[in-house]
Amino acid sequence: EPEVTQTPSHQVTQMGQEVILRCVPISNHLYFYWYRQILGQKVEFLVSFYNNEISEKSEIFDDQFSVERPDGSNFTLKIRSTKLEDSAMYFCASSATGSYYGYTFGSGTRLTVV
Amino acid sequence: LAKTTQPISMDSYEGQEVNITCSHNNIATNDYITWYQQFPSQGPRFIIQGYKTKVTNEVASLFIPADRKSSTLSLPRVSLSDTAVYYCLVVPEGFQKLVFGTGTRLLVSP
């Protein structure tokens, strides 16, 4: 079964540092997403991306966040200046059709900001 | 978006059938009902989706009454590995983002 691959599985960073979380979506998928889950809380939508541009973003996705598909296979989430409250599991997802039905999530990157 | 309400937690034993009911009183005509499963430290995984009546796949069944104000996810003969959080989502057709609630934490014991 095709998978969405996320690296690293765990990243520790100092407050104020920039981090880049990487994802390799399923190869024939066209729609890409980032979600996050703070420990013990709900899974929250951050951003959706299609045709090399953001199609929707949440209020969480402020100016410190950015996404990119640099080379046709990777999909990255950059956090420019991390805060303690950015500590969370970050999940990448992809979809062939943009339909909720076809979402495949990765196993996540646990980001710890110290 | 229609609000969903489901039990916070449920307990079961191996081999039993588990039914998790979700209420969504304000569901709209173009909304679909989708269920996801999440294991600890993993991303959510799609289980099943339906619009009305009954849908069955290799993992679960989904029962949706005619008024569509609730739905029931049925897991036949659960095993320990079914211990997870189960999320009921109501998603408008064509809507791109998923809005997760707190889900139902299912614990399966030997």
Side-chain angles (χ1 to χ4, degrees):
Chain A
E1 189 177 324
E3 289 185 345
V4 172
T5 305
Q6 291 187 242
T7 54
S9 57
H10 190 187
Q11 179 147 5
V12 181
T13 190
Q14 293 214 324
M15 195 167 51
Q17 294 296 305
E18 175 183 285
V19 295
I20 298 176
L21 309 184
R22 291 184 164 80
C23 169
V24 179
I26 293 172
S27 61
N28 63 343
H29 284 188
L30 301 176
Y31 297 81
F32 313 110
Y33 311 87
W34 285 99
Y35 286 75
R36 80 170 186 190
Q37 187 174 30
I38 295 170
L39 187 63
Q41 297 189 25
K42 299 176 188 179
V43 178
E44 302 173 290
F45 169 80
L46 291 178
V47 66
S48 59
F49 189 86
Y50 170 72
N51 200 27
N52 281 321
E53 61 182 28
I54 291 173
S55 43
E56 187 172 354
K57 59 183 180 179
S58 71
E59 61 273 12
I60 302 169
F61 195 88
D62 61 22
D63 291 344
Q64 70 160 344
F65 291 92
S66 61
V67 290
E68 195 179 30
R69 189 155 159 80
D71 57 13
S73 61
N74 291 285
F75 180 51
T76 62
L77 174 69
K78 183 193 289 186
I79 310 175
R80 262 179 271 284
S81 177
T82 50
K83 304 194 267 279
L84 295 176
E85 54 265 36
D86 294 326
S87 294
M89 281 288 283
Y90 288 81
F91 297 111
C92 173
S94 70
S95 166
T97 62
S99 161
Y100 58 91
Y101 184 89
Y103 276 49
T104 303
F105 282 82
S107 294
T109 293
R110 180 173 298 284
L111 177 65
T112 303
V113 182
V114 297
Chain B
L1 291 173
K3 186 177 183 309
T4 59
T5 303
Q6 50 184 125
I8 293 172
S9 64
M10 294 182 69
D11 294 321
S12 183
Y13 293 97
E14 281 189 293
Q16 291 193 330
E17 178 184 76
V18 170
N19 296 307
I20 306 174
T21 296
C22 177
S23 67
H24 26 78
N25 291 317
N26 297 322
I27 192 166
T29 305
N30 66 339
D31 288 345
Y32 284 75
I33 298 149
T34 303
W35 286 79
Y36 275 76
Q37 173 193 55
Q38 186 181 27
F39 298 113
S41 298
Q42 291 192 28
R45 183 175 79 102
F46 171 82
I47 303 175
I48 198 165
Q49 165 249 326
Y51 184 79
K52 61 180 178 181
T53 64
K54 178 183 173 183
V55 180
T56 297
N57 62 23
E58 64 277 6
V59 175
S61 295
L62 178 60
F63 299 92
I64 305 168
D67 67 6
R68 303 199 329 121
K69 292 184 186 299
S70 67
S71 58
T72 299
L73 176 73
S74 181
L75 304 172
R77 297 180 299 282
V78 293
S79 64
L80 297 177
S81 62
D82 292 314
T83 293
V85 179
Y86 292 82
Y87 299 98
C88 164
L89 291 85
V90 171
V91 187
E93 186 179 10
F95 209 59
Q96 286 230 6
K97 71 180 186 188
L98 301 176
V99 179
F100 288 85
T102 51
T104 296
R105 189 172 299 276
L106 173 66
L107 175 63
V108 181
S109 301

